[in-house]
Amino acid sequence: MEDSEEQEIFEIIDFTTVSGWERFVARVEEIIHDWKCNETRPYHPLTKDEVIDGNWQEVSEEISFGDVRFLLTRHFLRHAANDNGDERREEDGDDDQQQQQRKSLVSFAHLDMMNKEMDFPARAHCLTRWFGIRDFVVLSPAPNAEAIIGESRMKILLSSFIIALHNTQCRLPAFVQVVQHWRRLYAGVCDSGAGMRTHFEMVHLKNTPRQLNHLAGLIEVFKTKLMVPISPAPPILVSVRFTYVLRDWAMHEWPIEDEKGSATPPPEGAWPCVGTVCDPIFELHLAATWPNLAEEMIVDNETYSDLDPTQAPSWSVRVKIDEEPQLLLGDLLKELLVVAAGKSDAMFVPPEGRDEGEGRDIQSALQRLTEPVPSISTLTSSVVSRARRKLTRESNNNVIPELLLNAMLEDLLPDVDPPPAPEPPDESGRLHDQLKSCSVSSLTHRAALLLCEAYQQHGGVRGMLHLWQEIILELRYRWDNNILLPWTEHGHPDLGASLLHQKLQLLNCCIERKRARENEALVQGPVEEEEASASEDEFFECEETVSDEDGSPLTRKGSVRRNDVFRDSKPQHPDGRLKRLGDMRLLDTGAPLYVPITQEPAPMTEDMLAEHEQSLVELGHGEEAAKLRAQMQSASLLSDMEAFKAANPGCKLDDFVRWHSPRDWNEGDTHSDDEDDDGGNAGDEQTDQPKPRGRLSKRMRLPGNIWAECWQSTKSVAARKQRRLFDDTKETEKTLQWLSSLRPSQLVLNLLPCLVHAAMQAFQVSEKCHPSLSLLYEQTFQRTVRATRMQELRHYEVRPLPRSVDPRVRRSSYRSSASWR
C-alpha cells in the first residue's frame, strides 16, 4: 500500500520561472512604453535657433538588475515641433505614409547625426555634442552604487537594451555609462528596425597618438572605420572648431551696487546689496569655427595647416558661470531666518534708563495729562524732559559710528517733511495689493531695508539692534514735539498691512490727535470755570416735597418728575453742534435736529482687535456675560448719546435713533404706546411745525434694550468735554514700549513681510527679462502671499532655483535666486 503511494508522487519542475535578467528587460520595456519612446512622429529637422533656444529636459526612473540599482534617464530636446507633433502628423498625410515612414531604413537619430545644424551645440548633453543626437536613453549606476567596470557586464546590459528596443520597436539610441562617472565614457546602440544597427563606441587614451594630432590623420581613421565599398568614395564634409579656455580668471572682489558704509536707503524699495559676493564667471571659452568645408579645401597635417584661428569665418564666446555662487540676497535672507528662529535672542539687552519706580512715576504723570485741565502744556514739557533724559542715555559700545548713524537717521526720518515718494511701477499691482506688507515707499519698508543694511555691514544683530533703538528714540522725539512721521499714511491703521506698519500708523494717528487737541485748546483759550464744572457730576440738596394742584410731586428747586425721567428746569444751551440734519426736527419740541460733534472711533491694530476679542470671549456665556459684553462695546454709543443730548436740548431716544440708526425707525407708523405729554423746553427754537409720525423698530422696543438703558444713564455733555475714548498718550506709550521690547527674533519676524516684498520685486524684474521664469514666479508669488498672511516662521524658507529652470536663466538670475515657500 505504501509502495503504491510513493510511486504516485512525482516532482513538477516549473520552467516558466522569471529570472532577474528577464524582469530587468521587462521593466525596461515598460518604461519605454510609459515614456512613449516607441511612437513614430514625422521628422522635423532642427534649425539653428531651435538648437540654441530649445528646452533640454530629462526624465528618470530607478530600475534594478538583481541587487544592483540603475538609473534609466531619457534626455530630449523639447521645442514647438514636439509640442505640435499631433498637428504635424495630420498635415503630413494619411496612415499609409506613416507606415511607409516607419519602414524607413534611416531612423531619426541617423538623420539628426547628418544634420549640419547639430554641429557644436552651445548647450547640450555631452553625447549630443559628440554624436549630434537630440533624443536618447542613458542607463547609469544609481547614486552611491558600484560603477560598471567589467566588459562582460557592459555587454549584458547592451544586449538587454537591444532586446528591449527590438520588442518595443523603439528607434532611440540607448547608452550605458561605464567606469567612473567623471570620465563620461559610454557605449551605445541604435536599432533602425529594418536590418540597420549602429554601435556607438568610445575609447579614452592617456596620450594622444601622433597621427591623430592633425585633421589628415583623423580623416584617415574615419574612412577606415566607415569601410565604404563604393568606389570612388563619396566626398567628406568637415567642420572644425578650436576652443581656447581661460581658466586663470582674475579673483578680485566683486563690486556691488552700493558702496559699503552708504547711509542712503535704497530708492524705490530696492535691496541695498543684490548679486554675488565674487565674480560668478570662472571660465571663458573662445571658439574659432570652420563650418561644413569639403575635405580637399583644408590642409592640416604634421608640416602645414590652413587652420589659422585669426582667419576663421566664425567666432563665438562662451562664459561658464558657477552653478552655486555665494549670493548676497539669498545668504542674507538665510541668516535672517536663523535670527528669526531665536538663535540670537541671548544678545538682546532691554533699553536702559527705566527702572520700575521711574516707570510708575512717568505713567502717573502721563495719566494726569489725559485729564482736560488747562495746564496741559506745562505738564507736557516737564514730563517730556524727564522721560527724554532717562531714555537717551548713550551707550559706550556703539556699533555704528556716530556720523554714519546720524546720516542714516537723517535719511530715514528727515527733519523737513519730504515730498511723497513715487510708487515704483507695478503693472499688475499684485505685490502691493495681495502681500500683507506695505508700500515700498513707506517708512516701514525703508526702515526694514536700512536695518538689513546695518545687519549686513555693521556688526550683524548688534548693529541692527543699535539702529533700531535709535529709531525708537527718534520716534519718541517726534511724539514729544508733535512731528508727524514721514512716508506714513494718515488715518486709522490699515489691517491689510504688516503689524509693524500698523503700529507706526497708530503712532502717527496719536500724533495727529495730540496736535488737533492742542491746537483746539489754543484756539478756545482757557476753559471757563462754569464749563469746567459742568463736566463734573452735579449734586442737589433734597428739599421737602410739596404737591401741586393735580397731585404731581414738586420740589422747591423746581424739578418735575414724570415717567421716571428727570429734566432740570434750568434752560439748557445747545453745545457741540456740527450742522443741521436736513429738514428733520425733534419729535417733542419740533426744533431742528442737529448733527453733534462726536469723538472719532479709537484706531486699533490687529493685535489690539485680537486682544479685545479675547477679553470678550473670556467673559463666558449667560445673561450677565452678555450685559458685560454690551457695556464694553457701548463706550462709543454712550459718547454719541451725550453729544447728541448736548446739541439737541429736549430730545429723546427716538430722535437719537432717527439720526444714529435710521433703519430702526419706522417712518409713518403710529404709536401704540403712551406718549410723553411733556414736549420739553426747546427754548427759542420751538416752532409750530407738525410732528413727524413714526415709531421705533421692534428690537428697540424690547424690554432691557441696551440703547434705552444707555439713554437713561447718559447726561448732556459735549464731545470736547467728555472723557476721551482714545487716549493717545496711553496708546503711544504702549506702542513705543511694544517696539522697544521686541527681541531680535521678533523684530526680524516683523520685518520679513517687507523683506519678502523686496525680494519679490527683484524676482519680478528677472521674470520680465526671462519669460521662462513666469511659471516659477506665479508659484512663488502664491506661496509668498500665504507666508506673509500666516505670520509664522515655518512658512518661510529660502530655496535656490530648481534644476528644471533653463541653465542660461539660472546663471543670469542671481538677483532673484531666493524663493519662498
Side-chain angles (χ1 to χ4, degrees):
M1 190 69 176
E2 294 179 357
D3 295 339
S4 61
E5 291 179 357
E6 292 179 357
Q7 292 177 359
E8 293 178 359
I9 298 175
F10 60 92
E11 183 179 359
I12 299 176
I13 300 177
D14 186 9
F15 291 97
T16 63
T17 303
V18 180
S19 64
W21 174 75
E22 291 174 325
R23 286 193 295 267
F24 174 75
V25 174
R27 178 57 178 157
V28 173
E29 294 177 3
E30 180 182 356
I31 294 175
I32 289 176
H33 283 291
D34 292 341
W35 290 345
K36 300 180 180 180
C37 297
N38 55 341
E39 292 187 356
T40 302
R41 293 186 177 183
Y43 177 72
H44 172 68
L46 294 177
T47 62
K48 196 68 173 178
D49 294 337
E50 290 176 337
V51 175
I52 296 175
D53 299 331
N55 183 18
W56 287 95
Q57 298 182 0
E58 61 181 45
V59 290
S60 301
E61 287 286 345
E62 190 169 330
I63 189 172
S64 300
F65 190 170
D67 297 334
V68 183
R69 295 182 300 108
F70 295 95
L71 200 64
L72 188 62
T73 307
R74 180 188 178 189
H75 302 266
F76 59 97
L77 178 65
R78 179 172 294 278
H79 50 82
N82 287 341
D83 297 336
N84 302 326
D86 296 336
E87 300 177 1
R88 291 178 177 272
R89 184 179 303 175
E90 296 177 359
E91 296 174 358
D92 285 348
D94 54 9
D95 296 337
D96 295 339
Q97 294 179 348
Q98 296 180 15
Q99 294 293 336
Q100 187 68 24
Q101 185 180 11
R102 185 173 298 173
K103 297 179 181 179
S104 176
L105 295 177
V106 181
S107 64
F108 288 172
H110 297 93
L111 296 176
D112 283 340
M113 286 189 290
M114 300 300 295
N115 188 1
K116 301 176 183 179
E117 302 297 339
M118 295 295 291
D119 295 340
F120 312 118
R123 179 179 51 86
H125 192 272
C126 59
L127 292 174
T128 302
R129 294 199 301 268
W130 295 336
F131 299 111
I133 52 180
R134 56 172 157 174
D135 196 351
F136 53 93
V137 179
V138 178
L139 180 70
S140 59
N144 301 325
E146 183 180 358
I148 304 173
I149 302 297
E151 184 177 358
S152 59
R153 297 180 61 186
M154 179 191 69
K155 290 183 178 180
I156 292 175
L157 295 175
L158 277 179
S159 62
S160 303
F161 257 135
I162 293 175
I163 295 174
L165 296 177
H166 178 76
N167 294 339
T168 58
Q169 297 184 355
C170 179
R171 304 294 177 256
L172 297 183
F175 295 87
V176 176
Q177 187 174 13
V178 296
V179 299
Q180 291 79 9
H181 184 271
W182 59 269
R183 296 184 64 178
R184 297 195 294 180
L185 186 61
Y186 299 87
V189 62
C190 179
D191 194 351
S192 65
M196 179 178 177
R197 181 178 298 166
T198 303
H199 290 271
F200 299 89
E201 298 178 352
M202 297 176 60
V203 60
H204 280 187
L205 299 177
K206 187 175 183 179
N207 297 316
T208 306
R210 183 176 180 183
Q211 63 272 19
L212 300 181
N213 280 330
H214 46 78
L215 182 60
L218 293 175
I219 293 177
E220 187 66 27
V221 173
F222 178 76
K223 291 180 178 180
T224 304
K225 289 288 184 179
L226 199 59
M227 294 186 297
V228 180
I230 303 175
S231 181
I236 298 176
L237 296 179
V238 179
S239 295
V240 183
R241 167 171 287 188
F242 288 172
T243 303
Y244 302 90
V245 181
L246 179 60
R247 292 191 177 91
D248 297 332
W249 199 253
M251 299 301 296
H252 58 82
E253 183 179 0
W254 183 245
I256 57 179
E257 291 184 357
D258 294 333
E259 298 180 358
K260 289 187 176 181
S262 173
T264 304
E268 298 184 358
W271 277 90
C273 298
V274 181
T276 58
V277 177
C278 58
D279 192 348
I281 301 175
F282 66 91
E283 278 188 6
L284 184 64
H285 294 193
L286 175 63
T289 308
W290 292 263
N292 302 321
L293 300 178
E295 173 189 1
E296 59 273 7
M297 294 181 61
I298 302 177
V299 177
D300 181 51
N301 50 38
E302 295 183 359
T303 59
Y304 178 78
S305 177
D306 291 333
L307 301 177
D308 184 6
T310 59
Q311 303 298 325
S314 175
W315 284 60
S316 60
V317 177
R318 180 187 178 192
V319 176
K320 294 193 67 175
I321 304 179
D322 189 5
E323 292 291 341
E324 297 181 357
Q326 187 177 357
L327 305 173
L328 292 173
L329 175 57
D331 293 347
L332 175 61
L333 292 176
K334 290 178 181 178
E335 293 177 7
L336 291 176
L337 289 180
V338 173
V339 176
K343 304 295 184 180
S344 303
D345 283 353
M347 301 176 58
F348 176 72
V349 179
E352 299 179 358
R354 277 189 183 176
D355 55 22
E356 190 173 352
E358 293 172 348
R360 286 197 300 266
D361 294 341
I362 296 177
Q363 185 177 4
S364 61
L366 293 174
Q367 288 179 353
R368 289 196 299 270
L369 284 177
T370 62
E371 301 176 0
V373 293
S375 58
I376 185 172
S377 58
T378 307
L379 286 177
T380 302
S381 59
S382 61
V383 173
V384 164
S385 60
R386 182 176 179 183
R388 186 162 181 80
R389 184 172 61 253
K390 297 296 182 181
L391 296 177
T392 55
R393 296 179 180 176
E394 297 183 356
S395 177
N396 295 328
N397 53 350
N398 288 342
V399 180
I400 305 177
E402 184 177 358
L403 293 178
L404 181 59
L405 181 63
N406 293 335
M408 288 181 173
L409 295 176
E410 178 63 26
D411 290 327
L412 183 64
L413 296 166
D415 295 335
V416 182
D417 292 339
E423 192 73 16
D426 184 10
E427 293 146 359
S428 61
R430 303 172 63 196
L431 289 177
H432 183 270
D433 295 339
Q434 299 188 28
L435 293 181
K436 189 176 175 62
S437 58
C438 58
S439 172
V440 295
S441 59
S442 63
L443 175 64
T444 309
H445 195 94
R446 294 168 181 266
L449 298 185
L450 196 61
L451 287 169
C452 284
E453 184 179 356
Y455 173 86
Q456 191 175 31
Q457 301 180 7
H458 303 290
V461 176
R462 293 182 58 196
M464 181 176 63
L465 293 179
H466 182 200
L467 178 59
W468 178 244
Q469 292 179 5
E470 294 296 331
I471 292 176
I472 294 175
L473 291 177
E474 184 65 25
L475 295 178
R476 177 171 290 278
Y477 173 79
R478 287 178 172 266
W479 157 255
D480 295 339
N481 295 273
N482 298 339
I483 304 176
L484 293 175
L485 303 182
W487 301 301
T488 304
E489 299 89 342
H490 300 283
H492 288 218
D494 181 11
L495 299 182
S498 63
L499 180 58
L500 182 60
H501 187 66
Q502 294 179 39
K503 292 294 183 180
L504 295 182
Q505 283 183 304
L506 178 62
L507 181 59
N508 207 39
C509 185
C510 293
I511 297 175
E512 290 178 346
R513 298 284 182 91
K514 180 183 175 184
R515 293 176 63 177
R517 188 179 68 255
E518 294 185 359
N519 291 337
E520 183 180 359
L522 292 176
V523 172
Q524 293 180 355
V527 183
E528 298 180 358
E529 294 183 0
E530 182 179 356
E531 295 182 354
S533 61
S535 62
E536 304 294 336
D537 293 336
E538 296 184 4
F539 298 91
F540 298 92
E541 203 173 311
C542 295
E543 303 289 346
E544 61 177 336
T545 304
V546 296
S547 300
D548 56 2
E549 296 178 356
D550 58 358
S552 299
L554 178 64
T555 63
R556 293 184 179 178
K557 289 293 183 179
S559 55
V560 180
R561 178 180 181 180
R562 287 187 181 179
N563 298 334
D564 297 331
V565 178
F566 290 90
R567 293 187 178 91
D568 200 321
S569 61
K570 181 180 179 180
Q572 297 181 10
H573 298 283
D575 189 9
R577 289 178 172 179
L578 180 62
K579 62 179 181 179
R580 283 194 59 175
L581 185 60
D583 296 334
M584 297 183 65
R585 294 180 175 274
L586 300 181
L587 296 176
D588 288 348
T589 65
L593 192 151
Y594 286 88
V595 177
I597 299 175
T598 59
Q599 297 193 56
E600 295 184 12
M604 301 182 72
T605 59
E606 61 183 26
D607 60 333
M608 297 169 63
L609 289 173
E611 183 180 353
H612 181 66
E613 181 181 359
Q614 183 64 25
S615 62
L616 295 178
V617 172
E618 291 177 353
L619 294 177
H621 303 281
E623 185 178 354
E624 189 66 24
K627 290 183 178 181
L628 290 176
R629 275 192 290 269
Q631 292 177 4
M632 293 177 61
Q633 294 177 313
S634 61
S636 179
L637 179 63
L638 289 171
S639 174
D640 293 344
M641 286 183 174
E642 291 180 347
F644 187 83
K645 286 185 176 181
N648 299 277
C651 63
K652 62 179 183 178
L653 178 60
D654 301 40
D655 299 315
F656 178 76
V657 171
R658 292 167 62 203
W659 163 67
H660 201 278
S661 181
R663 301 176 68 178
D664 287 313
W665 176 257
N666 299 327
E667 191 72 31
D669 195 359
T670 58
H671 289 272
S672 60
D673 301 334
D674 294 333
E675 297 186 9
D676 190 359
D677 295 337
D678 184 15
N681 187 2
D684 298 335
E685 294 181 344
Q686 186 171 359
T687 63
D688 295 333
Q689 295 290 337
K691 298 180 181 180
R693 299 179 62 84
R695 66 183 303 185
L696 295 175
S697 64
K698 185 176 180 180
R699 76 180 186 97
M700 285 294 179
R701 291 183 282 110
L702 292 175
N705 183 268
I706 186 65
W707 284 51
E709 294 179 357
C710 291
W711 183 263
Q712 295 291 340
S713 61
T714 54
K715 299 178 298 183
S716 174
V717 183
R720 61 186 176 86
K721 301 176 183 178
Q722 297 175 4
R723 183 176 181 179
R724 284 180 285 168
L725 294 177
F726 176 69
D727 192 345
D728 49 68
T729 306
K730 179 180 178 182
E731 293 301 329
T732 298
E733 288 299 321
K734 290 173 61 177
T735 302
L736 293 176
Q737 176 63 25
W738 183 86
L739 294 174
S740 60
S741 62
L742 289 177
R743 306 186 73 84
S745 59
Q746 298 171 337
L747 176 59
V748 173
L749 191 60
N750 281 279
L751 296 177
L752 275 179
C754 296
L755 305 183
V756 173
H757 192 165
M760 287 303 299
Q761 272 198 310
F763 199 172
Q764 190 180 44
V765 174
S766 297
E767 185 264 340
K768 293 178 181 178
C769 298
H770 303 283
S772 59
L773 286 175
S774 57
L775 179 60
L776 180 62
Y777 176 80
E778 290 296 327
Q779 297 174 353
T780 307
F781 177 78
Q782 297 300 329
R783 295 169 181 169
T784 304
V785 172
R786 184 169 62 253
T788 55
R789 296 191 178 276
M790 291 297 181
Q791 296 184 357
E792 297 180 7
L793 183 61
R794 62 186 179 89
H795 294 282
Y796 292 95
E797 180 184 359
V798 179
R799 300 185 299 177
L801 289 176
R803 293 291 179 181
S804 59
V805 178
D806 191 334
R808 292 179 301 169
V809 177
R810 290 173 52 82
R811 293 168 181 171
S812 58
S813 301
Y814 290 127
R815 295 177 181 269
S816 59
S817 62
S819 61
W820 296 84
R821 184 182 65 180

